[in-house]
Amino acid sequence: MNLDDNGSTAARAAAMAAHELTRRKALRLGALGLGGAGLSAFLAACGTNNTSTPSSNASSPASTASTASAPAVGSTSAAGTGAVASGAAGTGGASSAASIPAGKSGGSVIIARAQDSVDFDKTMVFSNASIWVYVQIWETLTIGSKDGRTVEPWLATSWTQSADKLTWTFKLRTDVKFSDGTPMTSADVKFSLDEASTTKGGWEFINSAIANITTPDPHTLVIKTKYQWAPLLADLACPSNSIVPNKYGGRTKKAFYLSPIGTGPFVWDTWNKGNKLTLKKNTNYWRPGLPYLDSVSWQVVPDDNTRNVMIQGSTAQINENPPFSTVDQLKGVSGAAVTLFPSTRTDYLLMNEKRAPFDDVHVRRAISYAIDREALVKTVLFGNGTPANSLLMPTVPYYDKNTPGQTYDMTKAKAEMALSKVPKGFSTTYLAASGDSVDSELSQILQASLKELGITMAISPKDPSAIHDLQNASNFDISHSYWTMDIADPDELVQFAVLPAGGGHSFETSYNSAAAQSLATQAEKTFDTAERQALYTKLQALLAEDAFLPPLFYQPFPYAMRTSVQNFFVKPTGLYDMGVVSLA
Amino acid sequence: MKYFLYVVRRMVTLIPVGLGITLLVFLLLKIVPGDPAVTLLGTHVTDAGVAALHQQLGLDRPLWQQYLTFLGKLLHGDLGESYQYQSSVSSLVLQNLVPTIWLIVTGALFAVIIAVPLAVWAASHRNGVSDNAIRTIPLIGLGMPAFWLGIMLVLLFSLKAGAFPASGFGDGFANHVKSIVLPGLTVALALVPILVRSLRASMTDVLQSDYITTARAKGLGGARVVFGHALRNAAISSITVLGVNVAYLVGSTLVVEKVFALNGIGYLMINAIFNRDFPIVQGITLVFAVMVVLVNLLTDMTHAAFDPRVRLA
C-alpha cells in the first residue's frame, strides 16, 4: 500500500512532479507468500490456475506438519547453485535461491521513475518508491514466487508447525552475512520481527497474530501465534518484516535508517534527495556470483515524456512507469521494449456509507451497475487491462473468477434505483484527485451514466494530500482508490476492507457487515485450502452482493526497458530483484 | 558609500516582505485540507499514529506557536527539517537551487545573446522584410508551450544529432554546461520576443534622436553609431523588461525543469506542497522572495550603471 502511485497508470496529466501520491491506500508491495505452509506444494500442482480450487490429491497442510527446504548454497556445496528446493513450490521465482539465471558481471543500471523515495524506515514507510529500493538492501525469511501465488524459503531454509498449529519453528540459512561482514543470526531476525510488530507505524497489523518469538540457537527461530494463523508465511515475506541487524548494529534507529545495512544484494551508497539514489554491489552477498551489476540508480524524472526519451536515448535502462498512453509509442523504438507484468493493482469506487443515501444497498448496486468498466479499460488503460469482478484480483490465491460482480447494465441500475429510498435520484459529489487520469475518466463516465438514473454528480478535484485527508476523515460522498498487495495472501486486503481491526474503516467507506467479518476471521484461521477457498468464495460473493467497493478494473505494471537489460522481472506485488539483473 | 547604503536599504526591505510572504503561505497551507501526518503514514494510519506524529512534528500546538517556532528557528538561520525527507531544509533547498539558478542565468544570457543582434538589425533596417520577420517570427517562441518546445529540442539535438544530453544535470562543471544548453534555450526562446520588441522600439526611437544624427553628420560609421552610442541608451528600458521577466522566471521554471529532469527548486516545491511538507514550502517561499528582490536590485543597479541620470540615493 502506499501513498504514491507506482505510476502504474497513466499519464497523470498534471502529474506535477512528485505527485503520484494520488491515492492513499493501497499500494503496497511486498514479498509474497502463501498462507499456510505447504500450500505451495499444493499450488504448484494447480499451476497458475487462477481459481485455486483444491484438487483432491492435494495433501491438506492442516493434517501434517509441512516442511519446505532450500538447497544449501555456498562454498561447501559442490552443486552450489543447483538443486531445486524440495518441497518448495515448483514455480520458483526468478529470484529463488535455487535458480540463479546466468548473466554477465559489471555495468550499472539507471531506473527512471516519476517520484523519489521518501524514507527508509521500513516500519513507517508506505511509499512504493521507497520499498522497491529497500528490498534490494534487506531480505525476508520467506519470499513470494514469480506468479505471486506461492511462498518460498529465503533467509529461512525450512519450517515445521506444531500439531496445534500455534508454534512454527524456522531453520535459518547459516551462510548469510550482513554487508559489513557480520553473520546473520536468529537474534537479528527476532529483533527485526519484534520491531515490525511493536512500532506503531501502520505496518504492525501484519504481525498482529504473533504472540512471541524465541531463539533456541543462532540458526533457529520459534514463532508462537496467538491463534491459528494461516497467512503467517506470507506475512513473513512482507517488506516490513525485512531483517536488519540486531539493535541496528549499535547505531540509533534514526542513524541506521539514514544509511541502512542488510543482507541483500546491494548496499547503501548515495542519495541526492529529489534527484538520484544509488546503491552499489554488496561484495559479501550470499547468493554465489550475485549481484551482476556494480550499481543501480533510481533517477527521479517526473515528466512522462522525458522518461521515455531517456529510454530512447539510453540515458536510462528502465522506466519504472511509462503511462499506458505511451506504451504503443515505445513499441516502435529499436533497442527498447515495453513489458506488462501481471499485477495485483485493482481500482475501486468508494461510496461513503456514513452518508445517506449510500447506506442504501440499492443505491450502491445501482451505481455499481452504472459503471461502464469496458469503457474505463479502453480510456484509462488504453486496453491494457480487464474489467474487475471481485474485491480480490486474479494474481492472489483464493480469487474467485466466478464472483458475480456487477457489470455495466443500465436496465438493472434503473431497477435497483426504483427499489431504493431515493427512486427519483439525488445530488452528490465525486472527490477526484486532480491530474489523476483514472479519476478524470471515471468521474466523467460515471457522471453521464448517473444522469440517466436521476443522480446529479458534481466533480470536486483536490490535490493528493487533501484526498488522503478527506477520505481518511470519511469526509466525501463518492471517490476512487486502489490497492496493491504486499503479500501473497488475500488477508492483507480483506483485513483492511472488512475487519474493523484492519484500521481501514472498510477502505474508508465505513461498510460494516457482521457476516463479512465472520467469514474473514474464519478464513484467517483456516489452514485447509479447500475450506479456505470456500470461505473466500462466499465472502467475495457477499461483498459483490452488498455492492461494497465496486471493483473497476485489473491492470498490469507497465515497464519500458532497453533490450540490453536481462532477467528483470516484476512480481504481482510490484517487487523486483535487481540481484539477478545483468546487462547484455 | 551612497551606493552601499542603497543596497543595504534594499536588503532591509526583505524582512517585512519575507515575513509577510511566509505568514501568508503558512496560513494558506493550514486552510486547505491535507495533513502531513496522514500523508506520511499512509493507508493503515491509525488515530494514535497520527497523534504521535503530530506531536513529534509539533503540529499539535496552536497555529501562532507553530509560526513563532518557525520564526525563532529562522533567526538562527535554521529553516527546520523536512517532514518527508527527515533532513534539513536548507541543505535540500541549496542542493535543488543549483540547477534552477543555472537555468535562469543561462536562459537570460541566451535571451540577450539572441535578442540584441536581432533587435539592432531590425531597428537599423526599419520596415524592411528582415525587420518584419524579426518582429513576427520570435512570437512563435511565445506561443509555443515550453514543454513542447523542450521536447522538440530534445528530439532534434539529443536524439537525432546527439549533441546534448536529453535530460538531467550531469556530474561536474563540463557536464552541467552541456546539460543546461537545451533547457536554457527553451527558457530563452520565450524571453526573446519580449526583449526584441522592447529593444527594437527603444532602438528605433534613439536612432531618430538628434545626437545620433549629429554623430552621423560628424562622419561616424554605422556600427560605431549603433553600438557605441545608440545601444547603451536604448538598452536602459530593456534591462528593466528583462529584469521583470527573470524575476518572474524564478517561480516559473518548473515546466522546463520537469521536461529536462533538472529537478530544481520548482520540483522540490511542488512535491512539498503535495505532501504538505510545510518546512520546505516555507523555506522555498523565502528563497523565492529573496531571489525576486535580488533580481530587482540587480536590475536597478545595472540600470544605474547604464544611465547616469538615475540617482540611487
Side-chain angles (χ1 to χ4, degrees), chain B residues 292-312:
Chain B
V292 169
V293 171
L294 276 183
V295 169
N296 288 340
L297 178 62
L298 276 173
T299 307
D300 289 351
M301 285 161 65
T302 320
H303 193 160
F306 270 72
D307 186 351
R309 291 168 306 176
V310 175
R311 302 286 305 278
L312 288 175

Side-chain angles (χ1 to χ4, degrees), chain A residues 308 311-312 322-340 381-384 558-561 563:
Chain A
N308 283 342
I311 296 293
Q312 288 173 38
F324 285 111
S325 56
T326 63
V327 162
D328 283 347
Q329 165 199 332
L330 278 166
K331 277 179 184 161
V333 177
S334 75
V338 175
T339 310
L340 303 174
L381 307 180
F382 291 79
N384 300 296
Y559 272 78
M561 281 179 271
T563 46

Side-chain angles (χ1 to χ4, degrees), chain A residues 1 3 18 21 126 272 300 306, chain B residues 39 43-44 95 259 263 271 275:
Chain A
M1 120 199 8
L3 300 178
L21 262 171
F126 286 86
N272 180 339
V300 184
T306 308
Chain B
T39 308
T43 311
H44 286 275
Q95 187 182 293
V259 168
N263 296 353
N271 197 1
N275 293 307

